Amino acid sequence: MSKREPATAAAASATPFLWGVSTSSYQIEGAAAEDGKGPSIWDTYCRQPGRITDNDTGDVACDHYHRYVEDVALMKTLGVGAYRFSVSWPRVLPKGRGAANEPGLAFYDRLIDKLLDDGIEPWLCLYHWDLPQALDDLGGWANRDCAFWFADYAALIARRYGDRVKRFATFNESSVFTLFGFVMGGQAPGIADRAMLHRAIHHVNLGHGEAIDVLRAHVRDASLGIVHNMQPCRPATPAPEDVKAAALFDAYWNGAFADPQILGAYPALLADLIEPYVQAGDIAKICRPIDWFGLNHYSPHYMKAWDGNPLGVGWGPAPDNIKRTSMGWPIEADAFRDTLLLLHERYKLPIYVLENGTANPDVVDDKDEVNDTPRIDFLKAYTDALAEARAKGADVRGYFIWSLLDNFEWGSGYSQRFGIVYVDYATGKRIPKASFRWYANLIKATSPRRVAAAS
Ligand code: BGC
């Protein structure tokens, strides 16, 4: 039985608002080959010269595997009520299936226990892109069996941690890792094949539904969801081919996962393309009741027709007058507000914002401080937009900053810093930035974990 959260506006206003921070395994843990961990597709991908800026890897990253106590202490100082992290599948199942790796499992025991000791609720995401290499060798997400390997992995996690962890997300940003990994480039496994994309989309959806059932069966009082990256997809120009490209990209980016999972149907533009991989009963397996919608949001996309990849879609320029982050992403808080309102209408689930934040060219000054004013401006604008969406009725229950720490930013390696804590990669030293203090004050001012002012 789903423990769906109360969906009325009155229930929402009585529920304490949850402030949190998010990270992911490959981006922070390091210890890439330690204590029996198997390789993931990202370990492999990073070793292919030229894939990652400066040929960086996640081998050491923030060394969170060894420094998690210090990192949880930072969260306690910050005052967050929750921490969203991901489990590295190959750390606990080095070959992706079969024998579990006890030292890997024990690491997450220690992390979870420390969080609970410090009054921080663990939000566990099963998949933040680090697929075991051994499974990719068997076809990875393009192989239908991967959905069932994922469900078995979910069962292991549920049995091990379900006594202490109640909040589980199946996948982080399925559209991102499938689109970039299978057609657009820039992510593992680094394939350019549209048919493989369609298979992968369907198998990830199937894995989600299977895992939801497994988690529900094994974890008493489980509160389950999935994390989608939802961004408006706008045509970069009014040219009909760009309008068409933006609509197609919107179907893949915003619709290919949430629609079948919550509404029980693929978007019309994709249905025929995915149909060859759909077997009888699949849609019912995919469309399982979930308790909340996890939203990651950064900026709108401006798309154009482009023949440089198998999708025929690429990024066009955003309008000139829009400010950008150091990733080049447009800063448009109104789009965040509108996305929250739209999701509230469309999927009718409580929403938790599980990632929002910005990269900034941060530097440590001679007082050993990092004054990341542009990040504070960004976070102010986006949390104001969130308050506006709530005032207009969107049932938003929490907000998690991406990210606690500067970390391995995928294709950009360590060249982009998203943290509210600066990480000196040479020494591992952590320096809370000005934005950390800003967030701590916001949390305190909204009386532990409540958005009094905003509601
Ligand atoms: C991902 C994170 C990533 C962040 C910034 C999201 O797409 O979930 O892993 O670091 O955005 O790019």
Side-chain angles (χ1 to χ4, degrees):
M1 255 277 284
S2 158
K3 194 179 140 279
R4 190 175 285 248
E5 297 192 9
T8 64
S13 63
T15 311
F17 192 84
L18 190 60
W19 297 109
V21 280
S22 292
T23 65
S24 88
S25 48
Y26 189 73
Q27 293 180 274
I28 65 165
E29 285 179 1
E34 213 168 306
D35 287 345
K37 176 184 166 290
S40 77
I41 53 173
W42 274 92
D43 291 303
T44 307
Y45 188 74
C46 289
R47 282 188 165 60
Q48 297 167 3
R51 292 290 202 188
I52 312 293
T53 304
D54 299 328
N55 291 319
D56 286 336
T57 73
D59 285 2
V60 178
C62 307
D63 198 23
H64 171 77
Y65 188 75
H66 299 111
R67 292 175 176 260
Y68 71 94
V69 172
E70 185 183 348
D71 293 337
V72 177
L74 281 166
M75 291 180 227
K76 193 176 177 188
T77 307
L78 186 58
V80 285
Y83 171 50
R84 172 191 157 221
F85 63 99
S86 72
V87 168
S88 157
W89 184 350
R91 192 179 291 292
V92 298
L93 284 165
K95 297 207 173 319
R97 57 195 178 138
N101 177 37
E102 180 52 36
L105 287 165
F107 166 67
Y108 297 106
D109 276 330
R110 294 194 294 279
L111 172 65
I112 290 163
D113 290 346
K114 178 77 187 118
L115 288 164
L116 293 171
D117 281 352
D118 285 350
I120 299 165
E121 187 185 24
W123 284 52
L124 189 159
C125 178
L126 288 170
Y127 189 85
H128 202 124
W129 309 353
D130 40 2
L131 182 73
Q133 182 58 49
L135 299 185
D136 198 58
D137 295 342
L138 300 172
W141 289 112
N143 180 342
R144 186 176 166 95
D145 290 343
C146 205
F148 307 102
W149 299 328
F150 181 68
D152 291 345
Y153 156 58
L156 171 75
I157 296 300
R159 279 197 220 100
R160 178 78 175 216
Y161 309 117
D163 57 336
R164 289 156 289 159
V165 178
K166 300 297 170 190
R167 302 278 195 170
F168 292 89
T170 52
F171 288 92
N172 177 70
E173 297 190 355
S174 316
S175 60
V176 176
F177 75 81
T178 54
L179 280 165
F180 290 110
F182 287 94
V183 285
M184 301 185 88
Q187 293 220 354
I191 286 165
D193 181 324
R194 204 164 169 197
M196 276 176 85
L197 168 73
H198 297 143
R199 300 168 81 102
I201 288 174
H202 188 61
H203 301 152
V204 167
N205 276 325
L206 197 55
H208 161 79
E210 293 284 340
I212 289 291
D213 281 354
V214 162
L215 292 164
R216 200 74 82 192
H218 285 90
V219 181
R220 196 148 51 89
D221 295 333
S223 175
L224 307 179
I226 180 163
V227 188
H228 294 297
N229 183 323
M230 295 282 177
Q231 309 185 207
C233 297
R234 300 172 179 160
T237 79
E241 63 273 23
D242 291 347
V243 172
K244 210 171 146 200
L248 180 68
F249 196 69
D250 177 58
Y252 280 110
W253 189 274
N254 292 317
F257 298 92
D259 276 12
Q261 290 166 8
I262 304 171
L263 306 179
Y266 279 106
L269 283 178
L270 305 185
D272 288 350
L273 298 168
I274 296 178
E275 208 268 332
Y277 312 108
V278 180
Q279 297 185 9
D282 279 4
I283 297 297
K285 277 190 200 156
I286 289 168
C287 184
R288 313 300 298 149
I290 55 174
D291 304 306
W292 42 267
F293 187 105
L295 169 67
N296 292 354
H297 180 92
Y298 290 90
S299 61
H301 290 299
Y302 291 87
M303 308 309 292
K304 61 170 195 212
W306 186 57
D307 58 10
N309 63 44
L311 214 57
V313 179
W315 276 268
D320 284 344
N321 57 344
I322 299 177
K323 276 201 191 159
R324 323 283 178 95
T325 72
S326 67
M327 293 290 283
W329 298 347
I331 303 175
E332 292 184 65
D334 287 0
F336 180 42
R337 176 201 59 212
D338 296 346
T339 301
L340 289 167
L341 289 164
L342 188 142
L343 296 175
H344 171 74
E345 280 300 311
R346 184 166 178 81
Y347 298 117
K348 304 188 175 15
L349 283 167
I351 300 169
Y352 287 90
V353 177
L354 293 179
E355 277 185 37
N356 175 242
T358 183
N360 193 53
D362 300 320
V363 285
V364 182
D365 68 15
D366 48 10
K367 292 194 210 102
D368 221 17
E369 285 177 2
V370 180
N371 285 305
D372 54 341
T373 314
R375 178 172 291 104
I376 296 176
D377 293 343
F378 179 101
L379 294 172
K380 266 189 200 153
Y382 276 73
T383 48
D384 283 353
L386 181 147
E388 237 186 280
R390 290 188 91 210
K392 292 193 161 141
D395 182 5
V396 189
R397 309 272 174 100
Y399 174 88
F400 291 44
I401 286 183
W402 183 268
S403 180
L404 174 69
L405 305 170
D406 292 336
N407 58 48
F408 176 80
E409 177 51 28
W410 307 113
S412 304
Y414 298 100
S415 66
Q416 296 285 345
R417 293 180 177 272
F418 271 89
I420 54 173
V421 174
Y422 185 93
V423 176
D424 177 345
Y425 294 112
T427 61
K429 183 175 167 188
R430 275 77 166 133
I431 304 173
K433 302 178 190 177
S435 57
F436 180 97
R437 291 185 285 281
W438 175 85
Y439 194 36
N441 285 335
L442 174 71
I443 295 171
K444 212 181 291 159
T446 49
S447 68
R449 303 167 206 175
R450 271 168 210 278
V451 179
S455 47

